[in-house]
Amino acid sequence: MPSVFTWTVRVYYEDTDAGGIVYYANYLKFFERVRTEWLRALGIHQQDLLERDGVAFVVRSAVIEYVSAARLDDELKLTLSVKKLGRASIQFAQQAWRGDTLLSSADVKVGCIDKASMRPRSLPDMVAAKMQAA
Amino acid sequence: MPSVFTWTVRVYYEDTDAGGIVYYANYLKFFERVRTEWLRALGIHQQDLLERDGVAFVVRSAVIEYVSAARLDDELKLTLSVKKLGRASIQFAQQAWRGDTLLSSADVKVGCIDKASMRPRSLPDMVAAKMQAA
Amino acid sequence: MPSVFTWTVRVYYEDTDAGGIVYYANYLKFFERVRTEWLRALGIHQQDLLERDGVAFVVRSAVIEYVSAARLDDELKLTLSVKKLGRASIQFAQQAWRGDTLLSSADVKVGCIDKASMRPRSLPDMVAAKMQAA
Amino acid sequence: MPSVFTWTVRVYYEDTDAGGIVYYANYLKFFERVRTEWLRALGIHQQDLLERDGVAFVVRSAVIEYVSAARLDDELKLTLSVKKLGRASIQFAQQAWRGDTLLSSADVKVGCIDKASMRPRSLPDMVAAKMQAA
């Protein structure tokens, strides 16, 4: 597991808007795909966490810069690195690139909750262990 | 409750694509908003059904025609009528209009399921009664 | 035009995710609907700007806090106020509420661009005049 | 180019709804991704067509059956075959599978339009040639 995790997404019609570019909210979709794939690469499956443990991840905050626009058919390289691993939350630095052009960067803070109560809880031990090992 | 229920939606950037028009899948979102508002007008709240009764509606099939395109800022009038009310399913005829211009029409069949098992079940009595009264 | 503009949105199935709550990226859709309705209330129509003047608004940055979760069928009150009106950009403070519960707040910076070149440009005079008058 | 084209998509949070399953409209997004990838495999790029030739594809009609539900983290295999290649339109048969379980099938009719006028036009010669060769 490298310290920077990368994932590629393609821009489809569904991602664009009438301005001819990727709609701004959709970068948050892309950024979540990467977080999910990073979890998957660590052997952490959110559907299992949700169904078996009643544990979910929720985004607490996001700071996003939109630097350059992406268009239909573009192939984007998404990067993720962990800035801080807390007891009940994780801070990510994420970026979207098209070749050497930075399109967007985001700092995203994700918290762990008990799904039934929606209250914060510490990361399950196995999850924390896998993240620390990475 | 008139035999044709109507609802208005506005087209925002999120609904459009790089072709400059409303993305085709989003008409299914619009059509579901109308079914939800029709249920609400009958006093049927899906979140209550989901949480209290473990009952959900799922779409079984949809037949959609795309006749004319909608654009950013358009105000669409959506119509809904019940074609057939079954024991465990409902068939809707739905249309999207901009003024006198038909944009899209759809026949949508919705079924009732038990959420835990995902298996078909008959409509809850109160739900069926409210629909028959309408 | 009051100094705080408000708009109401309803949460539909399309807005939610498997966690049972509104998907985090969709608040950015809600926040944009409010900005669009605020522009419309000022007599500024984005489709006209796009087609007639080749002018578009793009989001430069967003800082979002997610405080409490929204669920299916919730009615959200969205608020908008202008923090700073620049020559080529506007800074908004936006919030989403369910009754007295704050769900999310965001600072959003929007810039004006020439659609053909995608380069920043000053706000069209009429647009700036309408915003200053508000 | 085989007579059946296949493409794989992963189900993310963004694709699901509060019912815990993939939201019905999102299958149309998946089905379009496959059509786009099929075009790409033929050497046909929609962004080029849009910008250089002013040509776009629009969906004329869709008939969709929802057979079984998909959930978060599922990997879906999407299939596409051309049922009929017309002068100005193409009919596709498309399916979504999870392993051996059919989730959804759709017949989709796509037409070619001149983007400026939004009127039907015949497929560009090179596009038609590449499709016939496939």
Side-chain angles (χ1 to χ4, degrees):
Chain A
M1 183 67 43
S3 62
V4 174
F5 181 82
T6 64
W7 190 254
T8 299
V9 303
R10 180 70 77 166
V11 175
Y12 296 109
Y13 262 116
E14 67 189 85
D15 304 310
T16 60
D17 68 21
I21 61 178
V22 170
Y23 182 66
Y24 85 125
N26 292 338
Y27 287 90
L28 290 186
K29 294 185 177 183
F30 297 163
F31 288 137
E32 170 149 84
R33 291 182 202 174
V34 190
R35 295 195 302 272
T36 291
E37 294 300 341
W38 173 76
L39 289 170
R40 197 189 319 282
L42 293 175
I44 301 166
H45 298 279
Q46 291 182 91
Q47 174 70 358
D48 291 351
L49 282 178
L50 207 57
E51 291 218 330
R52 196 187 51 207
D53 305 315
V55 169
F57 293 111
V58 294
V59 175
R60 297 291 185 201
S61 63
V63 179
I64 315 165
E65 302 283 329
Y66 298 95
V67 182
S68 189
R71 294 177 176 279
L72 189 65
D73 283 344
D74 280 353
E75 193 175 76
L76 309 189
K77 192 177 86 170
L78 303 169
T79 63
L80 170 158
S81 59
V82 175
K83 289 178 70 176
K84 191 179 170 195
L85 180 58
R87 220 173 51 83
S89 68
I90 317 160
Q91 288 180 41
F92 297 97
Q94 305 196 240
Q95 295 180 321
W97 297 82
R98 182 190 51 233
D100 295 334
T101 304
L102 177 63
L103 305 179
S104 176
S105 65
D107 280 358
V108 180
K109 186 177 173 186
V110 171
C112 192
I113 61 165
D114 176 77
K115 201 204 158 189
S117 68
M118 294 293 292
R119 297 183 70 82
R121 52 152 292 164
S122 55
L123 294 166
D125 287 347
M126 193 161 61
V127 169
K130 285 176 172 171
M131 288 182 182
Q132 267 147 6
Chain B
M1 185 63 45
S3 61
V4 174
F5 180 82
T6 64
W7 191 253
T8 299
V9 303
R10 180 72 72 167
V11 175
Y12 296 109
Y13 262 115
E14 68 189 86
D15 305 309
T16 60
D17 68 21
I21 60 177
V22 168
Y23 182 65
Y24 85 125
N26 292 338
Y27 287 91
L28 290 186
K29 295 185 176 182
F30 297 163
F31 288 138
E32 170 149 85
R33 291 183 201 174
V34 190
R35 295 195 302 273
T36 291
E37 294 298 342
W38 174 76
L39 288 171
R40 195 189 320 281
L42 292 176
I44 301 165
H45 299 278
Q46 289 181 91
Q47 174 70 357
D48 292 350
L49 282 177
L50 207 58
E51 291 218 330
R52 196 187 51 208
D53 304 315
V55 168
F57 293 110
V58 293
V59 174
R60 297 291 183 200
S61 62
V63 179
I64 315 167
E65 303 282 330
Y66 297 95
V67 181
S68 191
R71 292 175 178 280
L72 188 64
D73 283 344
D74 281 353
E75 192 175 76
L76 308 190
K77 193 177 86 171
L78 303 169
T79 64
L80 171 159
S81 59
V82 176
K83 288 178 71 177
K84 191 179 168 195
L85 180 57
R87 221 172 52 83
S89 68
I90 317 163
Q91 288 181 42
F92 296 98
Q94 304 194 241
Q95 295 180 321
W97 297 81
R98 182 188 52 233
D100 294 334
T101 304
L102 177 64
L103 305 178
S104 175
S105 64
D107 281 356
V108 180
K109 186 176 172 184
V110 170
C112 192
I113 61 165
D114 176 76
K115 200 204 157 188
S117 68
M118 293 294 293
R119 298 184 68 83
R121 52 152 292 167
S122 55
L123 295 166
D125 288 347
M126 194 162 60
V127 169
K130 283 175 173 173
M131 288 181 181
Q132 269 148 3
Chain C
M1 184 64 44
S3 62
V4 174
F5 181 81
T6 65
W7 189 253
T8 299
V9 303
R10 178 72 74 166
V11 175
Y12 295 109
Y13 262 114
E14 68 190 84
D15 304 310
T16 61
D17 68 20
I21 61 177
V22 169
Y23 182 67
Y24 86 125
N26 292 338
Y27 287 90
L28 290 186
K29 295 185 176 183
F30 297 162
F31 288 137
E32 170 149 84
R33 292 182 202 174
V34 189
R35 295 194 303 272
T36 291
E37 294 299 341
W38 173 76
L39 288 170
R40 196 188 321 281
L42 292 177
I44 301 165
H45 299 278
Q46 290 180 91
Q47 175 69 358
D48 292 350
L49 283 178
L50 208 57
E51 291 218 330
R52 196 188 50 208
D53 304 315
V55 169
F57 293 111
V58 293
V59 175
R60 296 292 185 200
S61 63
V63 179
I64 316 168
E65 302 283 329
Y66 297 95
V67 181
S68 190
R71 292 175 178 280
L72 187 65
D73 283 346
D74 280 352
E75 193 175 76
L76 309 189
K77 192 177 87 172
L78 304 169
T79 63
L80 170 159
S81 59
V82 175
K83 288 179 70 178
K84 191 179 169 196
L85 180 58
R87 221 174 50 83
S89 67
I90 318 162
Q91 290 180 41
F92 297 98
Q94 304 194 242
Q95 296 180 320
W97 297 82
R98 183 191 49 233
D100 293 335
T101 305
L102 177 64
L103 305 178
S104 175
S105 63
D107 281 356
V108 180
K109 186 177 173 186
V110 171
C112 192
I113 62 165
D114 176 76
K115 201 202 156 188
S117 68
M118 293 294 291
R119 298 183 70 82
R121 51 153 290 165
S122 55
L123 294 166
D125 289 345
M126 193 162 60
V127 168
K130 284 176 173 174
M131 288 182 182
Q132 269 149 1
Chain D
M1 182 66 43
S3 61
V4 175
F5 181 82
T6 65
W7 190 254
T8 299
V9 303
R10 180 69 75 165
V11 175
Y12 296 108
Y13 262 116
E14 68 189 84
D15 304 310
T16 60
D17 68 22
I21 59 178
V22 169
Y23 183 65
Y24 85 124
N26 292 339
Y27 287 90
L28 290 187
K29 295 185 176 181
F30 297 162
F31 288 137
E32 170 150 85
R33 292 183 202 173
V34 189
R35 295 194 302 272
T36 291
E37 295 298 341
W38 173 76
L39 288 170
R40 196 189 320 282
L42 292 177
I44 301 165
H45 299 278
Q46 290 180 90
Q47 174 70 356
D48 292 350
L49 282 178
L50 208 57
E51 291 218 332
R52 196 188 51 210
D53 305 314
V55 168
F57 292 110
V58 293
V59 175
R60 298 291 185 200
S61 63
V63 179
I64 315 166
E65 303 282 328
Y66 298 95
V67 181
S68 192
R71 292 176 178 280
L72 188 64
D73 282 346
D74 281 353
E75 193 175 77
L76 308 190
K77 192 177 88 171
L78 303 169
T79 64
L80 171 158
S81 60
V82 174
K83 289 179 70 177
K84 191 179 168 195
L85 181 57
R87 221 173 50 84
S89 68
I90 318 161
Q91 289 179 42
F92 297 97
Q94 303 194 243
Q95 295 180 320
W97 297 82
R98 182 189 52 233
D100 294 335
T101 304
L102 177 64
L103 304 179
S104 175
S105 64
D107 281 356
V108 180
K109 186 176 174 185
V110 171
C112 192
I113 61 165
D114 176 76
K115 201 204 156 189
S117 68
M118 293 293 291
R119 297 183 68 83
R121 52 151 291 165
S122 55
L123 294 167
D125 288 346
M126 193 162 60
V127 169
K130 285 176 173 174
M131 289 182 182
Q132 267 147 5

